[in-house]
Amino acid sequence: MFEADEAFDVPHKDLLTKNRWMLDAYTQSPAYNGVSDVFAVMDKCAKDNLYIFKADGSYIFDAGFNKCSESESQSNVVGTWKFYKDETGEVFDREIIINASGKITNYYIDLITDSRLKLSTTMTSGGKMYTLQQTFRKK
C-alpha cells in the first residue's frame, strides 16, 4: 500500500532525484537463514552508503565515510533507473526498475516524501518467496 505525505504535491521523479538517500532499515519476510532484520547484521561500512538517482536516469552508489575496503571507489555510476512503463507506454511512477551492475530489479515505491523513501521487492530462493523492504532517509 502506498503512503504519501499530502503536504507534498511534487512529482515522484523530483522527490527521488533531488536527494541523496541513506539506508536506515532493511527487512526480509519471512526470515531468510534466521534473519529478518538485515540492517542489524550489515557491516558498519555498508550502513552509510549513499544511493543517488540522477534526473538523467543514472544510478550512483557512494561508499560514504566508512569504506568496506581501501580499494573501494568513493563514488561511481553503477547503473540506471527508470519508472515502469506498460505495453501502452503509460508510466507508473510507483514502480521503479533499477539496473545495478547488470542486475535488474523492480521495486515498488511504498512511500516517498521530501525526506523518506521506502522501497519493496520480492525474490524467490529455494522455491520460497521473500518480501524485502528498504527504508531510506534523506542525507
Side-chain angles (χ1 to χ4, degrees):
M1 181 170 119
F2 181 77
E3 302 171 42
D5 185 333
E6 299 302 324
F8 295 99
D9 188 19
V10 179
H12 291 168
K13 182 176 182 179
D14 293 345
L15 290 171
L16 189 65
T17 59
K18 76 181 222 176
N19 296 316
R20 299 175 311 152
W21 299 99
M22 181 182 284
L23 186 68
D24 67 359
Y26 184 177
T27 61
Q28 56 193 8
S29 178
Y32 181 75
N33 289 335
V35 175
S36 58
D37 186 351
V38 178
F39 190 78
V41 298
M42 287 173 58
D43 289 334
K44 178 183 175 183
C45 64
K47 289 182 176 182
D48 72 343
N49 294 340
L50 298 175
Y51 303 86
I52 304 161
F53 300 90
K54 303 297 280 184
D56 68 0
S58 60
Y59 176 63
I60 297 172
F61 172 82
D62 186 290
F65 182 75
N66 299 303
K67 291 185 179 180
C68 292
S69 72
E70 288 182 27
S71 63
E72 184 176 17
S73 297
Q74 182 63 48
S75 181
N76 55 44
V77 175
V78 294
T80 59
W81 73 272
K82 63 183 177 183
F83 290 118
Y84 173 77
K85 287 184 186 179
D86 71 8
E87 60 278 349
T88 68
E90 183 177 352
V91 175
F92 293 87
D93 66 356
R94 292 191 177 148
E95 186 172 353
I96 186 172
I97 301 167
I98 298 174
N99 180 343
S101 301
K103 181 180 178 195
I104 298 171
T105 307
N106 287 38
Y107 291 92
Y108 295 96
I109 299 175
D110 298 322
L111 170 74
I112 189 164
T113 69
D114 186 50
S115 61
R116 304 292 293 169
L117 173 64
K118 183 187 276 187
L119 302 176
S120 64
T121 191
T122 58
M123 70 169 226
T124 303
S125 180
K128 194 172 195 176
M129 184 177 285
Y130 296 88
T131 299
L132 309 175
Q133 283 194 317
Q134 298 173 314
T135 304
F136 301 83
R137 71 179 186 277
K138 175 173 89 172
K139 178 67 179 161

